[in-house]
């Protein structure tokens, strides 16, 4: 008899955690494991702002999936763009554009999330996100390019627009991005004697009334105070009304001349979820506490794309937040449940109490709340970096990150512009491929064509 086929979609914290657990828990002849991912690496997403600011190199947080010869999972280089649950087929678009129908007996959906956008004029044409390694590398090049171009220009209006930067989103990603990049420009401007440092302005805006409300009032206020002392202008209860190539209009009427709009206002489940025709909760796939899809044997979903019940909270309707610590742990539980289902054993529900939150503001500044304990400054920075360092999956990645941190602390920033995506349009969909997914009808036609 043919071996059961286990198909895992997504190589984030959830998908890679699941695959590695499956490889350890299953004998080589017990099942075939396949992973669908456009890139053969696991991205440590929480450290992207430090890549954008140049503190870390891109390779240090992109952990190769092919480094060890022990791993036997087959990797398909592409993205899952549709699933036919009845036919048990996943449609994959490979990196060459070819459509492939991949059949499965057990399906693990961990496609993650994409940047959440709204119907704001000009937003998707002129904003850039902070969700992928390519976006972080592009943002770094773009910010340094603005300093170069402003230094070379004699036009005051052009200088003003190139030296103002707008970050939308007062969550962890937006706050850390604004904090780390503001430090980069503050240090870089010392190398530009023709530029007045006072002309460089960073704006952090969010429609919410508080910055990072999950941290609590005190820590949120502490982070806000750190940024304001650095000169970051924080506007709460404000969003974007429209965006253009050289200016952004806020909902309070202000018009900010800028060539840099970074959009980090939340995430949405991968568009792949919309191709299933299954029930969703707040856009995420509705699953049981065991992370199985009701009515479809052998189908599991987890991570950012699934509304996994948060049993640790003990509240009806509570679902796990889309964080790395939940995704890593869910991956292991789903792998155990796939193995249990394959062997005819009962599955176990997922339950994990949140361990706390860490926010790295760059330099010696940070705010952290491990196990409910509020920390600020260097102690918070030690906890934040210690947590990220310990969560890296391989020793090679840990050495690279620690080396980068040490080198940056000793030698300071460098301001090299690599020319990434030079003279090419850079829109969020170009990096996150949000326009490549099929409709349920297109999925059905593709499967029937096979």
């Amino acid at each position: 008899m043919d071996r059961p086929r286990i198909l895992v979609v997504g190589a984030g914290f959830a998908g890679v955690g699941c695959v590695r657990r499956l490889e350890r828990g299953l004998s080589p002849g017990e099942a075939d494991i396949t992973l669908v991912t456009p890139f053969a690496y696991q991205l440590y997403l929480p450290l992207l702002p430090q890549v954008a600011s140049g503190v870390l190199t891109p390779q240090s947080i992109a952990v190769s999936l092919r480094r060890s010869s022990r791993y036997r999972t087959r990797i398909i280089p592409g993205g899952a763009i549709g699933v036919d649950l009845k036919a048990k087929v996943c449609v994959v678009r490979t990196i060459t554009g070819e459509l492939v129908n991949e059949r499965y007996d057990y399906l693990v959906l961990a496609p993650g999330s994409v940047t959440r956008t709204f119907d704001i004029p000009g937003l998707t044409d002129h904003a850039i996100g902070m969700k992928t390694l390519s976006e972080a590398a592009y943002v770094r090049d773009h910010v340094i390019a603005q300093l170069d171009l402003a230094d070379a220009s004699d036009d005051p209006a052009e200088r003003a627009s190139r030296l103002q930067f707008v970050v939308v989103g007062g969550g962890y990603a937006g706050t850390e991005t604004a904090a780390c990049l503001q430090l980069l420009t503050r240090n870089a401007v010392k190398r530009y004697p023709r530029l007045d440092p006072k002309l460089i302005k960073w704006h952090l805006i969010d429609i919410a009334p508080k910055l990072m409300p999950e941290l609590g009032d005190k820590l949120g206020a502490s982070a806000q105070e750190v940024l304001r002392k650095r000169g970051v202008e924080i506007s709460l209860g404000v969003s974007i009304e429209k965006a253009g190539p050289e200016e952004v209009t806020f909902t309070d009427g202000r018009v900010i001349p800028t060539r840099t709009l970074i959009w980090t206002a939340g995430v949405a489940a991968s568009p792949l979820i919309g191709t299933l025709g299954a029930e969703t909760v707040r856009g995420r796939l509705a699953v049981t506490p065991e992370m199985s899809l009701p009515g479809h044997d052998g189908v599991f979903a987890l991570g950012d794309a699934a509304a996994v019940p948060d049993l640790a909270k003990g509240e009806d309707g509570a679902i796990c937040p889309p964080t790395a610590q939940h995704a890593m742990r869910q991956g292991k539980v789903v792998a155990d449940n796939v193995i249990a289902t394959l062997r005819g054993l009962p599955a176990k529900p997922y339950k994990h109490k949140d361990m706390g939150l860490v926010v790295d503001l760059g330099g010696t500044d940070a705010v952290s709340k491990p196990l409910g304990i509020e920390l600020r400054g260097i102690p918070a920075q030690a906890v934040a970096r210690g947590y990220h360092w310990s969560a890296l999956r391989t020793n090679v990645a840990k050495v690279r990150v620690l080396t980068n941190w040490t080198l940056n602390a000793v030698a300071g920033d460098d301001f090299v512009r690599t020319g990434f995506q030079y003279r090419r349009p850079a829109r969020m969909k170009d990096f996150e491929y949000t326009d490549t997914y099929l409709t349920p009808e297109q999925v059905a036609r593709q499967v029937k064509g096979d």
Side-chain angles (χ1 to χ4, degrees), residues 66 169 195 253:
R66 299 187 185 274
L195 294 181

Side-chain angles (χ1 to χ4, degrees), residues 13-269:
F13 291 106
V16 172
C18 177
V19 165
R20 295 302 181 234
R21 187 84 160 199
L22 286 171
E23 289 173 328
R24 289 191 293 269
L26 292 169
S27 63
E30 199 169 358
D32 291 329
I33 308 170
T34 300
L35 175 65
V36 177
T37 174
F39 308 105
Y41 62 75
Q42 177 191 355
L43 178 64
Y44 192 84
L45 202 65
L47 290 178
L48 272 184
Q50 295 190 35
V51 171
S53 64
V55 174
L56 298 175
T57 60
Q59 293 87 346
S60 62
I61 67 167
V63 184
S64 173
L65 300 180
R66 299 187 185 274
R67 188 167 184 86
S68 173
S69 59
R70 293 181 299 137
Y71 301 135
R72 64 179 188 274
T73 296
R74 167 181 169 238
I75 298 177
I76 300 178
I81 58 173
V83 176
D84 188 326
L85 294 172
K86 292 182 179 179
K88 290 194 172 186
V89 173
C90 177
V91 181
V92 179
R93 189 187 302 277
T94 69
I95 56 176
T96 60
E98 179 187 3
L99 292 186
V100 176
N101 290 350
E102 191 67 25
R103 299 188 177 275
Y104 63 84
D105 297 297
Y106 298 89
L107 176 65
V108 177
L109 293 169
S113 57
V114 296
T115 302
R116 180 182 61 185
T117 58
F118 301 97
D119 190 20
I120 299 173
L123 176 63
T124 55
D125 291 325
H126 304 294
I128 189 69
M130 187 59 67
K131 197 76 175 65
T132 68
L133 194 61
S134 298
E135 284 175 313
Y138 175 83
V139 165
R140 173 174 166 77
D141 265 22
H142 174 79
V143 168
I144 296 174
Q146 300 317 299
L147 299 179
D148 289 342
L149 292 167
D151 182 65
S153 176
D154 293 320
D155 182 353
E158 181 183 353
R159 280 192 169 190
S161 66
R162 293 198 183 280
L163 296 179
Q164 292 206 68
F165 307 88
V166 177
V167 179
V168 183
Y172 306 112
T175 302
E176 289 187 335
T177 297
C180 291
L181 287 173
Q182 187 273 335
L183 277 183
L184 174 67
T185 56
R186 187 185 75 180
N187 295 331
V189 76
K190 300 172 185 176
R191 315 294 188 199
Y192 295 84
R194 296 182 70 245
L195 294 181
D196 182 355
K198 296 179 181 177
L199 293 177
I200 298 179
K201 298 179 181 178
W202 281 87
H203 302 265
L204 175 61
I205 71 171
D206 194 276
I207 196 65
K210 297 178 181 178
L211 203 65
M212 297 182 293
E214 299 90 342
L215 281 173
D217 292 343
K218 291 182 180 180
L219 283 184
S222 295
Q224 198 166 321
E225 185 62 22
V226 167
L227 295 182
R228 281 187 168 150
K229 283 183 178 179
R230 291 189 193 169
V232 178
E233 184 174 324
I234 300 172
S235 302
L236 300 175
V238 176
S239 189
I240 297 294
E241 184 175 296
K242 62 180 179 179
E246 298 181 11
E247 66 178 28
V248 169
T249 303
F250 291 176
T251 52
D252 62 4
R254 284 180 292 164
V255 178
I256 305 297
T258 183
R259 311 286 181 102
T260 307
L261 174 59
I262 303 173
W263 182 267
T264 64
V267 296

Side-chain angles (χ1 to χ4, degrees), residues 14 85 107-111 269 273 276-311 315-321 326 330-331 333-334 337 347-351:
L85 294 172
L107 176 65
V108 177
L109 293 169
I273 300 306
L276 274 67
E279 181 184 355
T280 59
V281 177
R282 303 176 209 168
R284 299 162 69 182
L285 202 58
V287 295
T288 67
E290 293 77 21
M291 291 172 284
S292 63
L293 186 64
H296 299 278
D297 293 339
V299 179
F300 299 82
L302 66 161
D304 292 7
V308 180
D310 194 345
L311 301 182
E315 302 173 6
D316 289 340
I319 60 176
C320 295
H326 278 290
Q330 288 172 5
V333 174
V334 161
N337 286 344
K348 296 180 180 179
Y350 171 76
K351 185 176 182 180

Side-chain angles (χ1 to χ4, degrees), residues 422-442:
Y422 183 58
R423 288 188 176 180
R424 293 185 62 188
R427 296 169 292 183
M428 282 184 278
K429 68 179 183 179
D430 296 326
F431 292 105
E432 301 184 37
Y433 309 105
T434 52
D435 57 344
T436 65
Y437 293 86
L438 303 180
T439 65
E441 293 75 21
Q442 290 172 324

